[in-house]
mmCIF file of all heavy atoms in Angstrom:
data_model
loop_
_atom_site.group_PDB
_atom_site.id
_atom_site.type_symbol
_atom_site.label_atom_id
_atom_site.label_comp_id
_atom_site.label_asym_id
_atom_site.label_seq_id
_atom_site.Cartn_x
_atom_site.Cartn_y
_atom_site.Cartn_z
ATOM 1 N N GLY R 1 92.831 108.393 103.829
ATOM 2 C CA GLY R 1 91.628 107.567 103.939
ATOM 3 C C GLY R 1 91.646 106.358 103.041
ATOM 4 O O GLY R 1 91.369 105.241 103.478
ATOM 5 N N GLU R 2 91.980 106.541 101.771
ATOM 6 C CA GLU R 2 92.042 105.415 100.837
ATOM 7 C C GLU R 2 92.909 105.785 99.648
ATOM 8 O O GLU R 2 92.870 106.916 99.165
ATOM 9 C CB GLU R 2 90.639 105.025 100.357
ATOM 10 C CG GLU R 2 90.637 103.791 99.469
ATOM 11 C CD GLU R 2 89.248 103.349 99.056
ATOM 12 O OE1 GLU R 2 88.263 103.805 99.670
ATOM 13 O OE2 GLU R 2 89.143 102.544 98.113
ATOM 14 N N VAL R 3 93.694 104.808 99.198
ATOM 15 C CA VAL R 3 94.550 104.996 98.031
ATOM 16 C C VAL R 3 93.933 104.232 96.864
ATOM 17 O O VAL R 3 93.695 103.027 96.959
ATOM 18 C CB VAL R 3 95.979 104.497 98.309
ATOM 19 C CG1 VAL R 3 96.824 104.555 97.050
ATOM 20 C CG2 VAL R 3 96.621 105.323 99.404
ATOM 21 N N ARG R 4 93.680 104.960 95.758
ATOM 22 C CA ARG R 4 93.031 104.331 94.604
ATOM 23 C C ARG R 4 93.827 104.474 93.308
ATOM 24 O O ARG R 4 93.563 103.753 92.345
ATOM 25 C CB ARG R 4 91.657 104.962 94.353
ATOM 26 C CG ARG R 4 90.641 104.768 95.455
ATOM 27 C CD ARG R 4 89.268 105.209 94.964
ATOM 28 N NE ARG R 4 88.258 105.162 96.004
ATOM 29 C CZ ARG R 4 87.895 106.186 96.754
ATOM 30 N NH1 ARG R 4 88.505 107.349 96.586
ATOM 31 N NH2 ARG R 4 86.962 106.067 97.666
ATOM 32 N N GLY R 5 94.759 105.438 93.266
ATOM 33 C CA GLY R 5 95.419 105.700 91.992
ATOM 34 C C GLY R 5 96.834 106.193 92.167
ATOM 35 O O GLY R 5 97.587 105.715 93.022
ATOM 36 N N ASP R 6 97.200 107.206 91.362
ATOM 37 C CA ASP R 6 98.593 107.641 91.324
ATOM 38 C C ASP R 6 99.043 108.339 92.601
ATOM 39 O O ASP R 6 100.243 108.597 92.768
ATOM 40 C CB ASP R 6 98.835 108.548 90.116
ATOM 41 C CG ASP R 6 97.921 109.763 90.093
ATOM 42 O OD1 ASP R 6 97.130 109.927 91.050
ATOM 43 O OD2 ASP R 6 98.001 110.551 89.126
ATOM 44 N N GLU R 7 98.111 108.640 93.526
ATOM 45 C CA GLU R 7 98.537 109.203 94.816
ATOM 46 C C GLU R 7 99.382 108.213 95.614
ATOM 47 O O GLU R 7 100.027 108.579 96.598
ATOM 48 C CB GLU R 7 97.334 109.648 95.641
ATOM 49 C CG GLU R 7 96.398 108.531 96.062
ATOM 50 C CD GLU R 7 95.284 108.290 95.071
ATOM 51 O OE1 GLU R 7 95.363 108.820 93.945
ATOM 52 O OE2 GLU R 7 94.322 107.569 95.412
ATOM 53 N N CYS R 8 99.364 106.955 95.186
ATOM 54 C CA CYS R 8 100.208 105.926 95.815
ATOM 55 C C CYS R 8 101.683 106.336 95.791
ATOM 56 O O CYS R 8 102.426 106.041 96.731
ATOM 57 C CB CYS R 8 100.003 104.597 95.084
ATOM 58 S SG CYS R 8 101.054 103.263 95.643
ATOM 59 N N VAL R 9 102.098 107.022 94.723
ATOM 60 C CA VAL R 9 103.489 107.471 94.608
ATOM 61 C C VAL R 9 103.860 108.387 95.763
ATOM 62 O O VAL R 9 104.871 108.183 96.450
ATOM 63 C CB VAL R 9 103.713 108.199 93.258
ATOM 64 C CG1 VAL R 9 105.123 108.777 93.197
ATOM 65 C CG2 VAL R 9 103.470 107.252 92.099
ATOM 66 N N ASP R 10 103.043 109.386 96.012
ATOM 67 C CA ASP R 10 103.355 110.374 97.049
ATOM 68 C C ASP R 10 103.223 109.778 98.445
ATOM 69 O O ASP R 10 103.985 110.140 99.348
ATOM 70 C CB ASP R 10 102.429 111.576 96.895
ATOM 71 C CG ASP R 10 102.562 112.217 95.526
ATOM 72 O OD1 ASP R 10 103.512 112.978 95.329
ATOM 73 O OD2 ASP R 10 101.730 111.919 94.661
ATOM 74 N N MET R 11 102.258 108.862 98.631
ATOM 75 C CA MET R 11 102.122 108.226 99.942
ATOM 76 C C MET R 11 103.367 107.396 100.268
ATOM 77 O O MET R 11 103.907 107.478 101.376
ATOM 78 C CB MET R 11 100.887 107.327 99.962
ATOM 79 C CG MET R 11 100.627 106.703 101.334
ATOM 80 S SD MET R 11 99.532 105.273 101.282
ATOM 81 C CE MET R 11 100.595 104.067 100.462
ATOM 82 N N LEU R 12 103.859 106.630 99.293
ATOM 83 C CA LEU R 12 105.042 105.805 99.543
ATOM 84 C C LEU R 12 106.291 106.660 99.719
ATOM 85 O O LEU R 12 107.173 106.326 100.512
ATOM 86 C CB LEU R 12 105.237 104.807 98.400
ATOM 87 C CG LEU R 12 104.236 103.647 98.387
ATOM 88 C CD1 LEU R 12 104.352 102.844 97.097
ATOM 89 C CD2 LEU R 12 104.475 102.723 99.586
ATOM 90 N N GLN R 13 106.366 107.770 98.999
ATOM 91 C CA GLN R 13 107.506 108.656 99.194
ATOM 92 C C GLN R 13 107.481 109.274 100.584
ATOM 93 O O GLN R 13 108.531 109.451 101.212
ATOM 94 C CB GLN R 13 107.508 109.747 98.122
ATOM 95 C CG GLN R 13 107.897 109.226 96.742
ATOM 96 C CD GLN R 13 107.904 110.304 95.679
ATOM 97 O OE1 GLN R 13 107.368 111.391 95.883
ATOM 98 N NE2 GLN R 13 108.499 110.008 94.536
ATOM 99 N N ALA R 14 106.289 109.580 101.083
ATOM 100 C CA ALA R 14 106.175 110.092 102.453
ATOM 101 C C ALA R 14 106.623 109.027 103.453
ATOM 102 O O ALA R 14 107.333 109.320 104.422
ATOM 103 C CB ALA R 14 104.735 110.515 102.733
ATOM 104 N N MET R 15 106.189 107.790 103.221
ATOM 105 C CA MET R 15 106.584 106.702 104.125
ATOM 106 C C MET R 15 108.087 106.474 104.104
ATOM 107 O O MET R 15 108.685 106.127 105.124
ATOM 108 C CB MET R 15 105.867 105.412 103.722
ATOM 109 C CG MET R 15 104.371 105.381 104.017
ATOM 110 S SD MET R 15 103.623 103.830 103.472
ATOM 111 C CE MET R 15 102.008 103.926 104.270
ATOM 112 N N ASN R 16 108.692 106.666 102.948
ATOM 113 C CA ASN R 16 110.121 106.405 102.809
ATOM 114 C C ASN R 16 110.998 107.580 103.224
ATOM 115 O O ASN R 16 112.232 107.485 103.173
ATOM 116 C CB ASN R 16 110.444 106.013 101.365
ATOM 117 C CG ASN R 16 110.130 104.558 101.073
ATOM 118 O OD1 ASN R 16 110.743 103.654 101.639
ATOM 119 N ND2 ASN R 16 109.177 104.322 100.198
ATOM 120 N N THR R 17 110.368 108.689 103.602
ATOM 121 C CA THR R 17 111.155 109.852 104.043
ATOM 122 C C THR R 17 110.898 110.169 105.514
ATOM 123 O O THR R 17 111.027 111.318 105.932
ATOM 124 C CB THR R 17 110.838 111.083 103.174
ATOM 125 O OG1 THR R 17 109.418 111.292 103.138
ATOM 126 C CG2 THR R 17 111.348 110.890 101.765
ATOM 127 N N GLY R 18 110.481 109.170 106.271
ATOM 128 C CA GLY R 18 110.384 109.327 107.715
ATOM 129 C C GLY R 18 109.045 109.793 108.233
ATOM 130 O O GLY R 18 108.913 110.053 109.434
ATOM 131 N N HIS R 19 108.048 109.921 107.363
ATOM 132 C CA HIS R 19 106.720 110.330 107.824
ATOM 133 C C HIS R 19 105.880 109.094 108.112
ATOM 134 O O HIS R 19 105.616 108.283 107.227
ATOM 135 C CB HIS R 19 106.032 111.205 106.774
ATOM 136 C CG HIS R 19 106.731 112.489 106.505
ATOM 137 N ND1 HIS R 19 107.711 112.626 105.541
ATOM 138 C CD2 HIS R 19 106.621 113.711 107.085
ATOM 139 C CE1 HIS R 19 108.152 113.866 105.530
ATOM 140 N NE2 HIS R 19 107.511 114.553 106.457
ATOM 141 N N ILE R 20 105.473 108.939 109.347
ATOM 142 C CA ILE R 20 104.643 107.814 109.738
ATOM 143 C C ILE R 20 103.293 107.936 109.055
ATOM 144 O O ILE R 20 102.660 108.986 109.101
ATOM 145 C CB ILE R 20 104.451 107.770 111.265
ATOM 146 C CG1 ILE R 20 105.811 107.775 111.964
ATOM 147 C CG2 ILE R 20 103.631 106.558 111.686
ATOM 148 C CD1 ILE R 20 105.726 108.064 113.442
ATOM 149 N N SER R 21 102.838 106.867 108.405
ATOM 150 C CA SER R 21 101.611 106.943 107.632
ATOM 151 C C SER R 21 100.728 105.722 107.847
ATOM 152 O O SER R 21 101.209 104.629 108.147
ATOM 153 C CB SER R 21 101.925 107.081 106.130
ATOM 154 O OG SER R 21 102.708 108.221 105.871
ATOM 155 N N MET R 22 99.436 105.940 107.677
ATOM 156 C CA MET R 22 98.447 104.865 107.698
ATOM 157 C C MET R 22 97.478 105.114 106.554
ATOM 158 O O MET R 22 97.165 106.259 106.234
ATOM 159 C CB MET R 22 97.686 104.837 109.030
ATOM 160 C CG MET R 22 98.572 104.604 110.243
ATOM 161 S SD MET R 22 97.683 104.897 111.798
ATOM 162 C CE MET R 22 96.492 103.566 111.757
ATOM 163 N N SER R 23 96.998 104.022 105.936
ATOM 164 C CA SER R 23 96.071 104.175 104.829
ATOM 165 C C SER R 23 95.316 102.875 104.604
ATOM 166 O O SER R 23 95.547 101.880 105.292
ATOM 167 C CB SER R 23 96.815 104.592 103.553
ATOM 168 O OG SER R 23 95.894 104.902 102.521
ATOM 169 N N THR R 24 94.394 102.895 103.623
ATOM 170 C CA THR R 24 93.622 101.707 103.275
ATOM 171 C C THR R 24 93.585 101.548 101.763
ATOM 172 O O THR R 24 93.853 102.491 101.007
ATOM 173 C CB THR R 24 92.169 101.788 103.799
ATOM 174 O OG1 THR R 24 91.424 102.718 102.994
ATOM 175 C CG2 THR R 24 92.115 102.225 105.243
ATOM 176 N N GLY R 25 93.200 100.340 101.331
ATOM 177 C CA GLY R 25 93.056 100.067 99.904
ATOM 178 C C GLY R 25 92.211 98.829 99.676
ATOM 179 O O GLY R 25 92.048 97.994 100.572
ATOM 180 N N HIS R 26 91.678 98.704 98.477
ATOM 181 C CA HIS R 26 90.816 97.570 98.126
ATOM 182 C C HIS R 26 91.654 96.406 97.586
ATOM 183 O O HIS R 26 92.406 96.566 96.626
ATOM 184 C CB HIS R 26 89.804 97.973 97.053
ATOM 185 C CG HIS R 26 88.603 98.665 97.590
ATOM 186 N ND1 HIS R 26 88.582 100.013 97.864
ATOM 187 C CD2 HIS R 26 87.371 98.204 97.918
ATOM 188 C CE1 HIS R 26 87.386 100.348 98.318
ATOM 189 N NE2 HIS R 26 86.640 99.279 98.366
ATOM 190 N N ALA R 27 91.494 95.245 98.184
ATOM 191 C CA ALA R 27 92.122 94.013 97.686
ATOM 192 C C ALA R 27 91.557 92.827 98.456
ATOM 193 O O ALA R 27 91.107 92.967 99.593
ATOM 194 C CB ALA R 27 93.639 94.054 97.835
ATOM 195 N N ASN R 28 91.586 91.650 97.830
ATOM 196 C CA ASN R 28 91.022 90.458 98.455
ATOM 197 C C ASN R 28 92.009 89.739 99.365
ATOM 198 O O ASN R 28 91.600 88.989 100.254
ATOM 199 C CB ASN R 28 90.524 89.490 97.374
ATOM 200 C CG ASN R 28 89.352 90.052 96.594
ATOM 201 O OD1 ASN R 28 88.500 90.728 97.155
ATOM 202 N ND2 ASN R 28 89.329 89.787 95.295
ATOM 203 N N THR R 29 93.296 89.931 99.140
ATOM 204 C CA THR R 29 94.327 89.341 99.993
ATOM 205 C C THR R 29 95.466 90.338 100.142
ATOM 206 O O THR R 29 95.565 91.320 99.378
ATOM 207 C CB THR R 29 94.892 88.028 99.405
ATOM 208 O OG1 THR R 29 95.600 88.332 98.183
ATOM 209 C CG2 THR R 29 93.779 87.022 99.115
ATOM 210 N N ALA R 30 96.340 90.084 101.111
ATOM 211 C CA ALA R 30 97.487 90.970 101.309
ATOM 212 C C ALA R 30 98.411 90.938 100.091
ATOM 213 O O ALA R 30 98.951 91.974 99.678
ATOM 214 C CB ALA R 30 98.248 90.551 102.566
ATOM 215 N N ARG R 31 98.597 89.755 99.483
ATOM 216 C CA ARG R 31 99.435 89.652 98.290
ATOM 217 C C ARG R 31 98.817 90.427 97.137
ATOM 218 O O ARG R 31 99.519 91.111 96.382
ATOM 219 C CB ARG R 31 99.612 88.175 97.930
ATOM 220 C CG ARG R 31 100.350 87.920 96.623
ATOM 221 C CD ARG R 31 101.755 88.469 96.626
ATOM 222 N NE ARG R 31 102.625 87.786 97.566
ATOM 223 C CZ ARG R 31 103.885 88.138 97.796
ATOM 224 N NH1 ARG R 31 104.404 89.189 97.165
ATOM 225 N NH2 ARG R 31 104.619 87.482 98.668
ATOM 226 N N ASP R 32 97.484 90.348 96.988
ATOM 227 C CA ASP R 32 96.818 91.119 95.939
ATOM 228 C C ASP R 32 96.978 92.618 96.168
ATOM 229 O O ASP R 32 97.075 93.391 95.203
ATOM 230 C CB ASP R 32 95.320 90.779 95.905
ATOM 231 C CG ASP R 32 95.051 89.385 95.356
ATOM 232 O OD1 ASP R 32 95.979 88.790 94.772
ATOM 233 O OD2 ASP R 32 93.920 88.886 95.529
ATOM 234 N N MET R 33 97.008 93.032 97.443
ATOM 235 C CA MET R 33 97.181 94.447 97.741
ATOM 236 C C MET R 33 98.536 94.939 97.255
ATOM 237 O O MET R 33 98.650 96.058 96.733
ATOM 238 C CB MET R 33 97.040 94.677 99.245
ATOM 239 C CG MET R 33 96.962 96.157 99.636
ATOM 240 S SD MET R 33 95.405 96.943 99.105
ATOM 241 C CE MET R 33 95.964 98.004 97.773
ATOM 242 N N LEU R 34 99.554 94.119 97.396
ATOM 243 C CA LEU R 34 100.879 94.504 96.915
ATOM 244 C C LEU R 34 100.872 94.670 95.399
ATOM 245 O O LEU R 34 101.475 95.604 94.858
ATOM 246 C CB LEU R 34 101.916 93.460 97.334
ATOM 247 C CG LEU R 34 102.188 93.346 98.842
ATOM 248 C CD1 LEU R 34 103.218 92.259 99.114
ATOM 249 C CD2 LEU R 34 102.667 94.670 99.409
ATOM 250 N N SER R 35 100.185 93.760 94.699
ATOM 251 C CA SER R 35 100.094 93.862 93.238
ATOM 252 C C SER R 35 99.357 95.131 92.831
ATOM 253 O O SER R 35 99.744 95.810 91.870
ATOM 254 C CB SER R 35 99.377 92.629 92.676
ATOM 255 O OG SER R 35 100.095 91.450 92.974
ATOM 256 N N ARG R 36 98.294 95.468 93.564
ATOM 257 C CA ARG R 36 97.549 96.682 93.251
ATOM 258 C C ARG R 36 98.397 97.924 93.515
ATOM 259 O O ARG R 36 98.338 98.897 92.761
ATOM 260 C CB ARG R 36 96.263 96.753 94.081
ATOM 261 C CG ARG R 36 95.193 95.765 93.660
ATOM 262 C CD ARG R 36 93.812 96.296 93.993
ATOM 263 N NE ARG R 36 93.502 97.474 93.205
ATOM 264 C CZ ARG R 36 92.879 98.545 93.688
ATOM 265 N NH1 ARG R 36 92.535 98.608 94.961
ATOM 266 N NH2 ARG R 36 92.616 99.577 92.909
ATOM 267 N N LEU R 37 99.168 97.912 94.600
ATOM 268 C CA LEU R 37 100.042 99.051 94.894
ATOM 269 C C LEU R 37 101.079 99.241 93.791
ATOM 270 O O LEU R 37 101.399 100.378 93.416
ATOM 271 C CB LEU R 37 100.727 98.846 96.250
ATOM 272 C CG LEU R 37 99.835 99.036 97.483
ATOM 273 C CD1 LEU R 37 100.559 98.553 98.739
ATOM 274 C CD2 LEU R 37 99.424 100.498 97.646
ATOM 275 N N GLU R 38 101.610 98.137 93.275
ATOM 276 C CA GLU R 38 102.562 98.229 92.170
ATOM 277 C C GLU R 38 101.913 98.897 90.958
ATOM 278 O O GLU R 38 102.497 99.787 90.322
ATOM 279 C CB GLU R 38 103.066 96.834 91.793
ATOM 280 C CG GLU R 38 103.934 96.182 92.856
ATOM 281 C CD GLU R 38 104.223 94.723 92.537
ATOM 282 O OE1 GLU R 38 103.845 94.272 91.425
ATOM 283 O OE2 GLU R 38 104.808 94.025 93.383
ATOM 284 N N THR R 39 100.679 98.467 90.641
ATOM 285 C CA THR R 39 99.962 99.025 89.498
ATOM 286 C C THR R 39 99.666 100.515 89.705
ATOM 287 O O THR R 39 99.860 101.333 88.795
ATOM 288 C CB THR R 39 98.641 98.266 89.268
ATOM 289 O OG1 THR R 39 98.931 96.881 89.082
ATOM 290 C CG2 THR R 39 97.909 98.803 88.060
ATOM 291 N N MET R 40 99.219 100.869 90.908
ATOM 292 C CA MET R 40 98.897 102.266 91.191
ATOM 293 C C MET R 40 100.141 103.140 91.142
ATOM 294 O O MET R 40 100.083 104.289 90.685
ATOM 295 C CB MET R 40 98.195 102.371 92.544
ATOM 296 C CG MET R 40 96.786 101.815 92.549
ATOM 297 S SD MET R 40 95.871 102.113 94.080
ATOM 298 C CE MET R 40 96.659 100.969 95.196
ATOM 299 N N PHE R 41 101.256 102.625 91.604
ATOM 300 C CA PHE R 41 102.506 103.388 91.556
ATOM 301 C C PHE R 41 102.890 103.672 90.102
ATOM 302 O O PHE R 41 103.273 104.794 89.746
ATOM 303 C CB PHE R 41 103.622 102.607 92.258
ATOM 304 C CG PHE R 41 104.847 103.426 92.554
ATOM 305 C CD1 PHE R 41 105.094 103.872 93.849
ATOM 306 C CD2 PHE R 41 105.751 103.764 91.553
ATOM 307 C CE1 PHE R 41 106.222 104.637 94.127
ATOM 308 C CE2 PHE R 41 106.872 104.529 91.827
ATOM 309 C CZ PHE R 41 107.113 104.961 93.120
ATOM 310 N N LEU R 42 102.762 102.655 89.252
ATOM 311 C CA LEU R 42 103.130 102.819 87.844
ATOM 312 C C LEU R 42 102.172 103.752 87.112
ATOM 313 O O LEU R 42 102.517 104.299 86.058
ATOM 314 C CB LEU R 42 103.165 101.451 87.153
ATOM 315 C CG LEU R 42 104.299 100.523 87.626
ATOM 316 C CD1 LEU R 42 104.124 99.130 87.051
ATOM 317 C CD2 LEU R 42 105.660 101.095 87.227
ATOM 318 N N MET R 43 100.960 103.944 87.648
ATOM 319 C CA MET R 43 100.029 104.918 87.070
ATOM 320 C C MET R 43 100.545 106.339 87.245
ATOM 321 O O MET R 43 100.211 107.233 86.454
ATOM 322 C CB MET R 43 98.657 104.794 87.737
ATOM 323 C CG MET R 43 97.904 103.523 87.383
ATOM 324 S SD MET R 43 96.462 103.265 88.456
ATOM 325 C CE MET R 43 95.490 104.722 88.065
ATOM 326 N N GLY R 44 101.355 106.561 88.273
ATOM 327 C CA GLY R 44 101.817 107.911 88.580
ATOM 328 C C GLY R 44 103.267 108.180 88.239
ATOM 329 O O GLY R 44 103.675 109.342 88.138
ATOM 330 N N MET R 45 104.061 107.126 88.051
ATOM 331 C CA MET R 45 105.482 107.329 87.765
ATOM 332 C C MET R 45 106.015 106.128 86.996
ATOM 333 O O MET R 45 105.760 104.972 87.355
ATOM 334 C CB MET R 45 106.270 107.519 89.065
ATOM 335 C CG MET R 45 107.749 107.820 88.865
ATOM 336 S SD MET R 45 108.599 108.173 90.436
ATOM 337 C CE MET R 45 107.873 109.755 90.860
ATOM 338 N N ASP R 46 106.760 106.406 85.940
ATOM 339 C CA ASP R 46 107.311 105.350 85.096
ATOM 340 C C ASP R 46 108.679 104.952 85.628
ATOM 341 O O ASP R 46 109.690 105.599 85.348
ATOM 342 C CB ASP R 46 107.406 105.829 83.650
ATOM 343 C CG ASP R 46 107.815 104.707 82.702
ATOM 344 O OD1 ASP R 46 107.768 103.533 83.125
ATOM 345 O OD2 ASP R 46 108.169 105.008 81.547
ATOM 346 N N LEU R 47 108.704 103.876 86.415
ATOM 347 C CA LEU R 47 109.947 103.359 86.976
ATOM 348 C C LEU R 47 110.036 101.857 86.704
ATOM 349 O O LEU R 47 109.012 101.205 86.475
ATOM 350 C CB LEU R 47 109.989 103.583 88.490
ATOM 351 C CG LEU R 47 110.291 104.981 89.020
ATOM 352 C CD1 LEU R 47 110.248 104.974 90.539
ATOM 353 C CD2 LEU R 47 111.647 105.476 88.535
#
């Protein structure tokens, strides 16, 4: 339904392992959404 925090890690891992996925997130532009996804990913995993 919506990605707000460190669950971004597991959603992207699902997408990268062949599971078709759809989701939503808060951002004012598509570029801002990418920045937010980066931040949310780093909240859940130090890479």
Side-chain angles (χ1 to χ4, degrees):
E2 185 177 345
V3 174
R4 296 191 185 95
D6 57 3
E7 64 269 13
C8 175
V9 175
D10 301 280
M11 184 198 70
L12 287 170
Q13 288 180 345
M15 289 179 168
N16 280 295
T17 52
H19 297 90
I20 306 166
S21 302
M22 299 169 67
S23 187
T24 74
H26 278 83
N28 294 323
T29 66
R31 174 61 67 184
D32 288 347
M33 190 69 252
L34 293 179
S35 298
R36 288 208 66 221
L37 286 169
E38 292 171 7
T39 303
M40 289 187 287
F41 194 104
L42 292 171
M43 290 168 62
M45 183 175 291
D46 187 14
L47 284 179

